[in-house]
Each structure stands twice: as structure tokens, then as C-alpha cells.
Amino acid sequence: MTDLGIGIESVETGGRGAFRMFLRNKAAVAGLVVFTFVVLVTIFGPGIYGVEAHKMAAGPFLGPGDDAGPLLGTDYLGRDILAGVITGGRTTLFVAAVAGAMAMGLGLVVGSLAGYFGGWVDALLMRFTEIFQAMPSLLFSLVLIYLLGPGTWKETLAIGITLWALPARLTRAEFLRLREMEFVKASRAIGCSDLRIMTRTILPNAMPPLLVAATLLVVIAVLFHAGLAFLGMVDINTISWGSIMGKNKGYALTAWWTVAFPGLAIVTTGLSIALIGDGLQDAFNPKLRGR
Amino acid sequence: MNTVFKRWIKIITLLAALSLFSAACGSSDSDSSSDSSSDSSSSAAASDDEPAAASDDEPEAASDDEPEAEEEEATEEEAAPQPKHGGTIVIATTQVGANVNHGVNSGIGIAQPSSKIFAALTHLDNNWEPQPYLAESWEVSDDSLTITFHLVAGATFHDGAPITSADVKFSIEVIQANHPFTGMWGPLESIDTPDDLTVVLHLATPHPALWIATSDVMMPVMPKHIMDDGTPINEMRGHPNNGAGAIGSGPFRLTEYQNTQKIVLERYEDFFIPDRPYLDTIIYVIVPDEDATMLGLESGEYDSGGYASVINAEKVSNNPDLVAIPDLLGGVGSLNHLQFNMANSIMSDLRVRQAIAYTIDRDYVINTLHQGQTIELLGGIHPSSPFYNEDVERYDVNLDKARSLLYDAGYPDGLDLRINYIPGPNEQQRNVAEYIALALGEVGIRVEVVQAADLPSWAGIFFGGPDAWHMTMNAYFNWGDPVIGVQRAYVCANIRPGVFVNNSAYCNEKVDELLYAAAAEPDVAKRKALYDEFQVITAIELPFYGINALPIFGANQLYVRNQPDGAWGPLSGFENVWLDK
Amino acid sequence: MTALARSIGIRLGQAIGLLLAVVVIVFLLVQLAPGDAALYLAGEQGVGDPEFLAKIRADYGLDQPLLVQLGTYIGNVAQLDLGESTYFGEPVLGLILDRLLATVALAGAALLFAVIIGVALGVFTARRPESPASHGVTVMSLVGFATPVFWLSLMFIVVFAAKWGVLPVGGIEDVRYEGGWFGETVDFFQHLVLPAVSLGIIYLAIYSRLARASMLEVLESDYIRTARAKGAHERVVVYKHALRNGIIPVVTAAGLQIGNLLSGALLVEFVFAWPGIGRLMITSIFRRDSPMVVGIVIFSAAMVILANLLTDFVYRLIDPRIRVGGSR
């Protein structure tokens, strides 16, 4: 699990207790509030702010605070950076959420099969997973985009496909652990089908750490999309936080605001999601609180 | 526990040692070459013009009332200091070339080192007049069909072998067989070499562009004794003498060649002009972008830098330590225009092209996007050329007219188009393409901006059939004479799969006639009349919609003296450049 | 001991099999993807007539059946031949090795910085788990986790190089510099500082948290209690007894994160014009230099596999209880 950099431990608390624990965690609640705010802004912000992000709003390269320009300044075409930040979140969050879901989905399927059946299924699937773990994931994403070409869906695919190894290993570990539990054995004894045991009996109990992993995956997906966009590998006609930075990277030294604010938006969003994940971790596992 | 600890210590020591080791190696390791970044480097391998050069926005040097102009005058007023020998000039460039021989390939990245490593027959001064270089004198016959060059005696290549008329003949043949500018030597019929120091060119028709073709960067004199080694003449692009270890004829020798990181040239002691060059060393450093160039100029890390960007122009003019390098007076002269694919069924309709022209605000591009640092381009020839005609159809912004033209053309609900652009300097290419896409939205033309990772990917659109592209931001270089840089883009015969040929698929017999007549017209006034008419016709018919040209090439530190001011500017020999510090 | 030898053999075999699988997958991906390499090569030459395209296909073996191409490629890789770059016209492996030192120097310096400072911070805060500094490390680790490394690099350049001018903007050397080896080393380190710190800070944040958690656990363990009970000085307990064990997870994590480090280095190299493998990868992608791209992915995978293998062995040396194929 070290790939995430932040360990995800197995879980001892469940359900309502965890929710109460979560609410008691100030940092996590702050994360939740900020994240909710970010989501609301990306949904309603463009309508409220009323400036179209892709249109020229004022002269080019006006700095933040310049009387002639908008609050956060303008880019090389005179587009409003604030409008870009508000609007760009949609694409970034969409790509991150879908890519995260894609990776979780793939990981769940592979990991649960490997963990539940064990034996040669496990060996085969894990060898397959290792192939994807051996390739540095950003490098692999780059190659996929290189092959597929830019476009929001293709970008999402290129990110989702490189990140599933992580949840796969986590799911497998949980399934390995849980399948030996008494209640699973009991289900098997009364003749439940494998599919039913996997989805109805084991999965709910494996959810907590997977939920934590999902939050972290979304953060990684946000960073990946930003990285790809920064390298100029994403669609130039779509506004995202990453693409604003990517398009303006040649001007970062002269017009720092064109890169600084979209980056701040990413840090803020990523941090809020990570705080939520951290809070979930603590809530599910009070013994490790504060680690 | 103790053994574990010891092992652990070993690991740390190992890591530390490893990092020190690699650090030490890294410092002396000039081989790990960096690669220039995407938007700046476009490979110079493209066979026609140099796209890498794709134009750059140079900061404008200045109309006379600007502070920087005063600066220049001031320096001129000082008593001319005596040139000094020695020193190293570090030149930052964003342009990477596939080799260092401009005789076999084109591109700024190639032209910069090539013009120092290889001498030409002549220099071209800032009045476009040839001046002696490797040829100390020449005669032109009365019918302008025979030109006799007399070479400097005692000139040698960098390996000590004498430079003879056979080398010049061989070089012209290599250029003819390999260089993309086919118009350059078009009317050449034969070359005689009556003795070692005499070269006689026989032409089929008068060829005013000959003086461009024999000058500076266009005419690298190559060593026949090395290159004529059995390599077929038309495959000289792959000859090893174009790269590391190249033996040349110019004032500087190539001593280190890492084409994506740096190129080091050193003084050739036995150069044929006595007491030249002044400089000991020229280092071209490949930098990722124009911002890095500008920062290096400001910090003094670089002595000279090409292609500072438009937004850096003001910094150059406000910095008392820097002097703008004027653009090559049209010697290269990037022509930035929107090119239409007339082979495409939508774009072949003149009304569609006119609607687009009526929508784009040239003024906005120049004065807002480029902050007034570039100049408008109306005719098809570079504005600094004597043959430029600005008295042509302008298509001033008229949105109603644009809409009605679209309506007439059968697109009452607008239409969907794509715009491509050369991956080059963003200000000139991507930014303008994005602006055009936005502007056309106003009249109902929905435009998708298509990015390409690099020049060859962009050039691929020209091989993809009539629907592969609708319009593209393009930058044909003027390359001195319209015969070289302009004619190729308009004549019917040049409609072929290629890059920087007639990619618009524009064909007009009258235009062909005018261009061919002008190419062979020795009288300047008559020639201008022909080119004037050509520009009037093409401005109306719109194979291209002209946008702007760039007046500035880059910037120098104040102490860089005798920067060549001829037509080729920094693309000439540098044997007179010296450092006043 | 034979059991150890056998398990090492098994791990080696697995590693080689894994690398082979990577080669096959990457090769097939590149070959099956849409887009015609010949068209691109034609664009580069500026010639596009059908005969020329056919010649290109023949020259690059693009007209062979896919399996034949794959077989040839695997055979070549086995002989350490990763093919020839279409842009440079030189062997891919040589071009990669030319840039290896730069990347190793950058990644190594970043890792060293992150591990040393991260552990120090972790140990410091573990001693006072409820102090503000301790909570600060937790939050900082999350900030580090959520920060795009290229953005941090750019902001560093804006501040340290552009605004204050105290450090170089990019590159690996000052070309004008003609000092001795000492001066050149200093010059190199000046160029190394910003990229290494940018990359290192991200990992520093993560390792400090890891070190803190691990130290907390160790400090609560029985043998530490025993040491304290015996009246050992707290400083001795922490730095002599606890640190040795507390640091193991950090070292392991560092070893297993080589892949991530390379991903990060890719972006940092791009921003700082650092002439390493990552930059080569990006420019090769821009040039659609497929042999180069495939070669770099395979080479990186080999580095990751090797790093994991080494970490595994090192770990095994430290803690002999670990079995081959342990799931976690």
C-alpha cells in the first residue's frame, strides 16, 4: 500500500460509530466543508460569476489587482483567470472522479476475484497486476495518451487504467482476510453462491479501507490530469485547471498568476479530499488516530 | 539488534555514496544532453522551410522615439572602440537543428551554426548588395547570364586542405540536390572551373535571386575531398560531415556537438581573412523557451539570444544592458498568415474564405495580443522587402458582410471548421489560432483548435487528403528573395505532397505568369511592378490571409560589438563580432 | 542458506518474467494503437508520395506481420538492444544511459533529502504526539500529497530564480563556466538544488508522517518500555533503540516508491530543463519517436523491478522472518 504514500490500515470500527468519530475530527470536517464548497462552485459558480472562461474578457497579461482587469488577472488572450478557475474545476473533477471510479471498479473486480478464490486465480491475477505496477504510472498514462490522442474521455481512460493496481491489491488483502472469518464460512455453509458471498457478505465489510483508498485515488487522478495537461498532452479546447496551467506555462515567469491560481485550486481541492480520507481512516480505526 | 543497525548504516552509506558519485559525474557530464521542449524545438528536419523557425515574435526594436533607440544612437556616438580578440559568446536559442549544414537542410537551428562553420561566396550587406567573402571579386556578363567568381587565394578547410573552385562547384551541386529551396538555383545551366580559383556560372535566364543563393547561410562551401566519398549526391543529408566533427570552411570550427543541448564552436586559426575572427569561442545553448532566454539575458548568463518573445520585448527595450537585434531585414522574414486548404470542398468557396477574412481583426492581433510589437502583413511578400505591396485588399472587419457571405455560400446556420497551427512560438501560432477560433464564433463558424505535438505531426495534415485540414496558421519564411520564399507557395507546379510547398492548392495561371516573369526580370522597378500585381491578385483570392510579420530577432548584451547588420544578421559568419568587456 | 539462495532464485525468475510481460504489453499497445508511424516519418522528411511511404515502411520493418515484429523485438531486448531512435538515429539504450546519471542524481538527491529530513521530523514529532508541531506534520504530509510537483517547481522558479535570482532557472550546468572540478561541482549543485528540493519536498511530507507513525508504534513497544524501565536516558532510548526499528518502514517505502519518484522526476525534469530520462521521454513523445518511448518505458520498468528486488533483499537481510511471496 506504500504506493499511496499514506498507509491504509484495516479497519475495526464500522457504521455509525465511525460517522460520529468522523464528525469529531475537526480537520476532516473542514476538509468536507471545503470540498463541498469546491463542488458547489464548479456547479453553480460559472452561472453566478457570469464571465465565460474561454472568451476574452480584457487585455492580455493583466495582473491580479490591475484595475483594468478581473480579480485574478488575465492570460495571454485576455481570458479571465478567475472564470477559468471556476469553470476548469468541472473537467478536472469529472476526469478525476470517473478515472478514480474506473480504477476502483477494475481494482475491485481483480482484487476480489484474486482474494476470494486464491490459488492459481490469485497467482495469475497478481502477476498481471504486477505488470502494471512495474511501469511508473505517469509514464504509462503518457504513453496511453500518446497512443490515443487528446480528448476528455481518452484522458480519463488513460488515467483510470494506470491506477487500478493499487485498489486491486488492497481489495485482495481484505478479501484474503475476510474470507476466513466465521460469518463468511457460515454463509458458505448455508449454500450461498460465490457471487453472493463476494458482493453481499465480504464486500460491505471490506468497504471502509476501500473508501479511504478511493478518496486518495481521486486526489492522484487530479494530479495526473494536471500533470498531463501541463505537459500539453490534453485537449486544448477544454478548460481544466491543468490545461490553464499547461497553456500558460511559457509565461509562468512573466505572468505568474496564470499558473499560480489554478495550481492553488488543485492543492485546495486535493487537500480537502485527502483530509476527508484521513478522517475516514481515523474514524474507521480509532486506534491509529493521529498517525 | 547490533547487526541490524550496522546493516542499516551500510544502506545509508551506500545511498550517500551513490548520490555523491552521481553528482560528481553529473557535474562533468556534458554528454547528457537535454532536449529542447516541445514548443520551441520543432525538429529542423522538415524539408522545406523552417518551421522551427516558425516565426517568432520578436520584440520590436523600436520606432525611433523609443528609449531603446536612443540607447543605440548613444552607443554609436561614442568613439568606436578598437576591436579586441578573445572571449566566449554564449548564445541562447530555442531552435534545434537536425545537423549543422544549411546546404542540405533548412532551419534556423541549422542556419545559426552552419553560417559560422561554413563560409559562403559572398556576404550580403544591409542594402542587399553582395560583398566579398570567399569570393574576392566577380564579373557579370552584359546579358546577366554568365557570372565569374574569383576565390581568395590560400583559403583552407578546417583540416588544412585548400578550398578550390572544385569545392564550390561540388557545394552548389549538393545544395541543388538536397536543399528544399529549389527555386534558389533554378536557372543554373552549368558550372565551369577553368582553374582552382575561378568559378563560372552559366544561367538559362537572368536570376536576380542568385545573389541571395551565393551569400552567407545559403551557400555553405563544403569540402569535396571529404564529402564526395561515394555517397550519392542526393543523399548528402545523411553524410557524417554535417554533424559532429564536421570539416568546414568558415571562421569557426565545430568542436562539440550535442544538438539538443549545446553546440560549441572555436576559432579557426587559419581562417582566410587575416586577423579574424575576434572571438575564441561561440557556444549555442539550447534553452527550453523564450522566457528562459530572457532570464538568462537579464542575469548575464547569455550574451545573446534569438527569439525573445513579444511579451519580453518591453523588457528588452527597458533594460539598459540589452540591445535588440533587428530582424533579418527580410533576409529570413517570417510571413505569418492563415492558410486555407483550397482542395477542401468547403474552403474552395471564395465566399467562405472572405467571410473568415472579414471576421478576423488583424489590428487586435497586432496591437493587443502582440502589444504592438509586430507589424501588419497585407501583401504576400515580407514588408521589409523592396517588393512588398501594401496597397491591396485589406478585408477590414465587417461582421455583417461576413454573415451574408456565409449565407450566400449556403451556410445560413454557420459551419464547423478546424484550425491547425505550427507548434512554434505560441504567441504567433497557438495564441492567434485560439483568437481566430473565438472571433469566428461571432459569425457562427464553430472552430476546433487542433494542436500538434511537433512540426512533423503538424506537417502530416498535408499528406492526409483534402479533408485533413481546413485552415492552418502557417509561417512561410521570405528567405530574402520572393523567388525563394514566396513563389513556392503560389505556383501551380508546386502543388504536391510536401511541406512549405503550395499546400493551399492555389492555382491561377495569371499568378504563375507574373511570378515566373518577375523571377527573371533584372530591372528592379519592372520586377516590383510584377510582384505588386501578384500581391493584389492573391490578396483578393485568399489562398492566404496575411496577419503579421516580425521586426526583431532577439537581443544582445550591450558589450557585443559588430553584430552583423547585413541582410542575414545573426545567420552570417560572426568573424567581425567581438566583446567589449 | 540454500533456502535463501532458492528464494532469491525464485524472486529473480519472477522479476525476469515480469519484465518480459512488460515488454510484450508495451510493444503490443504501441503497435495496435491508431496512427501511422510512416505518415509521421513522411512529415519529418517533408515528402509524402506513396512510393516514399512504402519505402519507409520497409525500412522500419513496419510491413512485417505483428508477431514477427514482436519476436524480433523481444530477441533484441534480450540482447540489450532497444532499437534505434527515429529522431536521433542512434541506439535507444545508449541515449537512455547518457541521461541516466542526471536522473539518478536528481532522484537520489531528492530521496536523500526527503528521507533524512523526513525521519528527523518524524522522530521529533513522535516524541510529542499531541503537540501542534506533531499535528502540523500530519497536515503537511497531506498538503505534500495534494500538491502538483510541477506547480511547486514552477513556483520555486518564479520566486528563487526569477524574482530573487539566487539560483539558476534550469539546466544542469553553466556552459560558460571554466573552473576546475571543484567549481564545476559547486555549479552542478547550484543547478541541482531547486529541482531536488521541489521533488524532495513532496516525499519529505509523506516520509515524515510515515516515520512519525512508525516511531510512535515503536516507542510503545515492550522493549522500549523495558529500556525506559531500566532507567536509560530518554534521548538514548529514542535515538539508539527506537530509531533503528522505526526507520525501517521509511526505507522500505522509499525503495518501493522508485516508480513514483520517476513519475515525479519526469515533471520536474521538464520544468527545469534537466537533461534526464524524463525529459527525453517527453520530447520523444512530442517527436513521436516510438522506439524511444517504448525503450524508456521498458527501461523504467526494469529500474522499478530492480529497485523492488533490492528492497526485498535488503528487507530480508534486516528481518529474516519475511517469506518469499508475502502478500503484504
Side-chain angles (χ1 to χ4, degrees):
Chain A
M1 305 325 107
T2 44
D3 298 64
L4 280 176
I6 292 176
I8 297 162
E9 307 288 338
S10 53
V11 165
E12 283 149 27
T13 323
R16 207 163 289 164
F19 186 63
R20 237 178 284 126
M21 284 292 295
F22 183 88
L23 287 186
R24 244 183 279 157
N25 184 336
K26 279 181 219 145
V29 172
L32 191 62
V33 170
V34 171
F35 183 65
T36 312
F37 175 73
V38 169
V39 171
L40 287 178
V41 165
T42 52
I43 295 173
F44 301 110
I48 296 170
Y49 187 57
V51 178
E52 287 188 65
H54 67 280
K55 292 207 168 159
M56 295 166 287
F61 297 121
L62 297 175
D66 191 315
D67 292 339
L71 189 63
L72 298 186
T74 59
D75 75 352
Y76 56 85
L77 275 193
R79 286 174 292 213
D80 184 338
I81 295 293
L82 179 57
V85 169
I86 292 174
T87 311
R90 278 189 192 174
T91 309
T92 303
L93 291 182
F94 171 82
V95 170
V98 178
M102 201 183 285
M104 280 309 289
L106 264 171
L108 266 179
V109 171
V110 173
S112 56
L113 287 176
Y116 184 79
F117 290 107
W120 65 269
V121 178
D122 181 28
L124 193 75
L125 288 175
M126 281 303 105
R127 289 297 90 78
F128 186 64
T129 312
E130 277 173 13
I131 300 173
F132 286 84
Q133 281 192 305
M135 290 181 276
S137 22
L138 185 64
L139 219 67
F140 191 34
S141 284
L142 265 177
V143 172
L144 288 176
I145 297 229
Y146 165 66
L147 300 174
L148 296 171
T152 303
W153 280 105
K154 293 172 184 166
E155 290 150 22
T156 311
L157 185 71
I159 296 169
I161 275 188
T162 51
L163 294 179
W164 63 270
L166 221 68
R169 297 196 75 92
L170 188 66
T171 310
R172 170 179 173 273
E174 282 300 300
F175 271 63
L176 270 179
R177 186 176 65 86
L178 289 167
R179 74 170 180 180
E180 301 304 329
M181 296 276 178
E182 288 304 324
F183 63 94
V184 176
K185 284 183 181 157
S187 308
R188 205 172 285 141
I190 60 169
C192 292
S193 71
D194 286 336
L195 184 67
R196 191 178 165 83
I197 296 175
M198 285 166 74
T199 55
R200 298 285 171 83
T201 313
I202 302 185
L203 191 60
N205 287 288
M207 267 335 269
L210 295 180
L211 217 60
V212 176
T215 60
L216 301 185
L217 272 180
V218 170
V219 179
I220 295 179
V222 167
L223 296 178
F224 267 42
H225 188 256
L228 294 172
F230 180 74
L231 295 176
M233 306 292 290
V234 305
D235 182 14
I236 184 174
N237 297 290
T238 309
I239 299 172
S240 70
W241 289 334
S243 75
I244 300 173
M245 289 193 279
K247 284 191 201 174
N248 284 289
K249 66 171 180 277
Y251 308 117
L253 302 183
T254 353
W256 55 268
W257 55 90
T258 56
V259 172
F261 294 117
L264 270 181
I266 288 180
V267 177
T268 312
T269 310
L271 179 61
S272 68
I273 302 175
L275 281 172
I276 295 172
D278 211 45
L280 286 175
Q281 167 93 33
D282 285 352
F284 290 135
N285 205 341
K287 189 175 150 243
L288 293 171
R289 190 163 150 59
R291 299 226 168 137
Chain B
M1 205 46 77
N2 241 342
T3 53
V4 172
F5 187 61
K6 274 183 195 154
R7 279 187 183 130
W8 194 81
I9 289 285
K10 270 187 206 159
I11 298 165
I12 289 288
T13 323
L14 192 76
L15 275 176
L18 188 71
S19 85
L20 282 180
F21 166 73
S22 50
C25 297
S27 68
S28 57
D29 163 32
S30 36
D31 299 310
S32 44
S33 56
S34 103
D35 312 282
S36 77
S37 85
S38 65
D39 33 7
S40 49
S41 75
S42 344
S43 89
S47 91
D48 241 37
D49 209 4
E50 184 43 280
S55 70
D56 241 274
D57 318 289
E58 282 321 309
E60 195 236 339
S63 37
D64 292 9
D65 48 7
E66 278 181 355
E68 181 220 326
E70 289 165 22
E71 182 67 54
E72 279 176 351
E73 279 162 24
T75 56
E76 274 166 28
E77 277 167 23
E78 291 165 18
Q82 282 305 303
K84 285 181 223 163
H85 280 272
T88 297
I89 186 168
V90 179
I91 304 172
T93 177
T94 56
Q95 308 295 310
V96 178
N99 59 53
V100 295
N101 185 351
H102 198 259
V104 295
N105 230 328
S106 170
I108 299 286
I110 300 172
Q112 289 186 127
S114 174
S115 53
K116 322 294 179 284
I117 298 167
F118 297 96
L121 284 176
T122 60
H123 276 315
L124 206 58
D125 70 13
N126 57 6
N127 295 319
W128 296 80
E129 295 295 330
Q131 299 297 332
Y133 192 18
L134 190 56
E136 59 183 9
S137 64
W138 49 86
E139 295 104 38
V140 182
S141 67
D142 289 341
D143 59 2
S144 300
L145 294 179
T146 307
I147 295 112
T148 308
F149 288 99
H150 303 283
L151 306 185
V152 172
T156 57
F157 286 105
H158 298 161
D159 62 353
I163 301 175
T164 67
S165 52
D167 295 303
V168 175
K169 179 170 190 276
F170 170 75
S171 300
I172 294 174
E173 285 163 359
V174 170
I175 295 167
Q176 268 188 305
N178 293 278
H179 202 281
F181 300 165
T182 46
M184 214 160 47
W185 289 98
L188 180 68
E189 277 197 330
S190 63
I191 307 171
D192 288 340
T193 52
D195 63 56
D196 274 358
L197 297 178
T198 309
V199 181
V200 186
L201 306 180
H202 299 284
L203 305 176
T205 56
H207 187 47
L210 181 93
W211 298 106
I212 310 280
T214 55
S215 71
D216 295 295
V217 68
M218 304 311 272
M219 170 78 244
V221 174
M222 303 165 228
K224 183 174 197 282
H225 65 285
I226 289 171
M227 294 181 71
D228 193 11
D229 56 0
T231 308
I233 190 102
N234 57 356
E235 288 177 21
M236 282 295 171
R237 266 187 206 180
H239 197 281
N241 199 54
N242 302 330
I247 298 295
S249 48
F252 294 91
R253 296 179 299 125
L254 180 65
T255 55
E256 201 181 333
Y257 179 58
Q258 304 168 31
N259 80 336
T260 56
Q261 193 180 5
K262 66 175 176 182
I263 300 173
V264 182
L265 311 176
E266 272 167 34
R267 180 175 203 269
Y268 175 49
E269 297 296 332
D270 296 321
F271 182 56
F272 58 80
I273 301 178
D275 208 34
R276 299 286 190 286
Y278 291 119
L279 294 167
D280 283 341
T281 314
I282 298 175
I283 303 179
Y284 284 102
V285 188
I286 317 298
V287 297
D289 53 40
E290 292 82 5
D291 261 9
T293 306
M294 193 60 218
L295 271 179
L297 282 169
E298 284 179 336
S299 72
E301 189 174 349
Y302 307 135
D303 302 306
S304 178
Y307 289 116
S309 68
V310 164
I311 58 165
N312 285 326
E314 218 177 297
K315 287 191 185 174
V316 173
S317 47
N318 290 337
N319 189 327
D321 296 328
L322 297 178
V323 181
I325 308 172
D327 181 36
L328 317 174
L329 306 171
V332 171
S334 172
L335 302 163
N336 299 295
H337 34 221
L338 181 65
Q339 180 171 23
F340 298 107
N341 182 5
M342 293 171 63
N344 177 273
S345 56
I346 301 173
M347 304 312 292
S348 63
D349 189 332
L350 177 63
R351 290 168 297 189
V352 174
R353 301 199 300 277
Q354 284 175 329
I356 292 170
Y358 276 123
T359 310
I360 300 170
D361 188 355
R362 209 183 257 122
D363 209 49
Y364 182 83
V365 173
I366 292 164
N367 288 320
T368 305
L369 291 188
H370 295 160
Q371 302 176 7
Q373 307 285 354
T374 60
I375 48 179
E376 69 177 3
L377 175 68
L378 299 168
I381 298 175
H382 197 276
S384 67
S385 164
F387 304 115
Y388 178 62
N389 180 7
E390 63 174 356
D391 198 11
V392 300
E393 176 61 56
R394 301 177 56 100
Y395 290 106
D396 284 326
V397 180
N398 187 338
L399 299 186
D400 290 335
K401 202 158 183 179
R403 289 192 192 96
S404 76
L405 279 163
L406 282 178
Y407 188 88
D408 294 347
Y411 304 102
D413 303 319
L415 72 167
D416 295 282
L417 296 177
R418 292 185 305 277
I419 183 169
N420 298 70
Y421 64 90
I422 303 181
N426 282 332
E427 281 149 355
Q428 191 56 61
Q429 300 294 327
R430 181 199 66 185
N431 297 5
V432 177
E434 284 189 50
Y435 158 74
I436 289 174
L438 283 177
L440 293 180
E442 299 291 314
V443 294
I445 304 179
R446 297 167 293 274
V447 183
E448 182 193 354
V449 180
V450 183
Q451 59 190 333
D454 63 357
L455 184 89
S457 326
W458 167 78
I461 61 175
F462 299 129
F463 311 132
D467 297 325
W469 61 288
H470 295 126
M471 51 189 165
T472 181
M473 284 300 299
N474 202 340
Y476 283 66
F477 276 29
N478 198 57
W479 289 112
D481 195 286
V483 170
I484 299 172
V486 175
Q487 180 175 316
R488 59 184 169 153
Y490 294 88
V491 293
C492 308
N494 223 11
I495 302 177
R496 56 188 169 94
V499 188
F500 301 112
V501 291
N502 184 348
N503 298 112
S504 311
Y506 172 70
C507 187
N508 180 334
E509 279 175 31
K510 174 73 179 162
V511 166
D512 270 20
E513 254 171 51
L514 288 168
L515 285 172
Y516 290 130
E521 178 55 65
D523 183 275
V524 174
K526 284 184 193 154
R527 213 175 163 214
K528 172 148 173 51
L530 293 165
Y531 280 127
D532 279 354
E533 194 180 348
F534 149 76
Q535 289 173 88
V536 167
I537 296 174
T538 52
I540 292 170
E541 298 193 337
L542 284 175
F544 297 93
Y545 169 77
I547 294 175
N548 64 349
L550 309 162
I552 289 264
F553 184 84
N556 273 334
Q557 301 286 356
L558 205 53
Y559 53 73
V560 177
R561 300 286 177 156
N562 276 355
Q563 169 77 37
D565 63 351
W568 293 112
L571 306 188
S572 57
F574 265 44
E575 72 271 19
N576 292 319
V577 176
W578 59 280
L579 301 178
D580 188 13
K581 65 168 185 178
Chain C
M1 218 58 223
T2 47
L4 179 66
R6 195 166 152 266
S7 74
I8 290 178
I10 291 174
R11 289 291 285 123
L12 269 177
Q14 284 175 346
I16 291 171
L18 191 55
L19 191 58
L20 186 68
V22 170
V23 172
V24 173
I25 288 207
V26 175
F27 183 85
L28 290 182
L29 266 179
V30 171
Q31 297 302 318
L32 296 177
D36 186 347
L39 211 60
Y40 177 82
L41 290 165
E44 193 160 49
Q45 303 284 324
V47 190
D49 48 277
E51 303 85 54
F52 189 75
L53 288 175
K55 183 174 177 296
I56 290 177
R57 289 203 173 87
D59 285 356
Y60 287 88
L62 298 172
D63 52 352
Q64 300 276 326
L66 192 63
L67 278 180
V68 175
Q69 291 188 44
L70 175 63
T72 316
Y73 191 74
I74 292 177
N76 291 341
V77 172
Q79 299 164 43
L80 294 183
D81 175 6
L82 292 176
E84 209 172 76
S85 153
T86 51
Y87 177 80
F88 292 101
E90 288 172 38
V92 165
L93 188 63
L95 290 163
I96 294 177
L97 291 177
D98 279 350
R99 292 155 176 81
L100 180 61
L101 275 176
T103 295
V104 168
L106 171 63
L111 200 59
L112 217 60
F113 169 79
V115 168
I116 291 176
I117 310 229
V119 167
L121 268 177
V123 171
F124 176 74
T125 51
R127 293 179 63 186
R128 301 164 193 82
E130 292 305 320
S131 69
S134 187
H135 290 298
V137 164
T138 308
V139 174
M140 196 188 76
S141 74
L142 294 177
V143 175
F145 176 67
T147 303
V149 63
F150 65 85
W151 181 77
L152 189 67
S153 305
L154 263 182
M155 293 300 110
F156 275 174
I157 294 183
V158 167
V159 174
F160 291 103
K163 198 166 160 66
W164 295 345
V166 288
L167 286 166
V169 188
I172 198 168
E173 59 166 355
D174 181 350
V175 288
R176 190 198 306 270
Y177 196 84
E178 288 173 21
W181 64 270
F182 179 76
E184 281 181 8
T185 310
V186 171
D187 177 56
F188 169 74
F189 276 106
Q190 277 181 349
H191 284 81
L192 180 63
V193 170
L194 275 188
V197 169
S198 309
L199 184 56
I201 278 191
I202 303 290
Y203 290 89
L204 160 68
I206 292 166
Y207 294 155
S208 60
R209 179 179 169 117
L210 205 57
R212 176 170 166 275
S214 157
M215 283 299 287
L216 273 177
E217 194 167 319
V218 172
L219 285 172
E220 284 167 16
S221 64
D222 290 341
Y223 79 94
I224 295 293
R225 283 206 197 106
T226 314
R228 280 189 181 131
K230 286 201 297 194
H233 196 279
E234 181 65 16
R235 197 169 290 166
V236 176
V237 171
V238 172
Y239 293 104
K240 188 154 173 242
H241 299 285
L243 182 58
R244 309 172 181 173
N245 283 338
I247 207 170
I248 290 176
V250 178
V251 174
T252 317
L256 293 179
Q257 283 204 342
I258 293 293
N260 283 350
L261 197 65
L262 287 179
S263 290
L266 182 109
L267 290 163
V268 172
E269 286 180 4
F270 182 69
V271 175
F272 284 98
W274 188 261
I277 297 173
R279 194 167 169 73
L280 180 66
M281 172 77 179
I282 295 162
T283 46
S284 299
I285 281 186
F286 289 145
R287 298 182 189 121
R288 298 200 83 73
D289 190 344
S290 287
M292 202 75 231
V293 170
V294 172
I296 293 175
V297 173
I298 290 172
F299 186 85
S300 318
M303 292 215 335
V304 170
I305 293 170
L306 188 70
N308 288 354
L309 209 57
L310 285 177
T311 314
D312 196 44
F313 289 150
V314 168
Y315 205 78
R316 198 186 303 272
L317 288 175
I318 299 175
D319 187 346
R321 284 168 303 175
I322 304 212
R323 293 164 296 123
V324 168
S327 63
R328 284 184 59 138

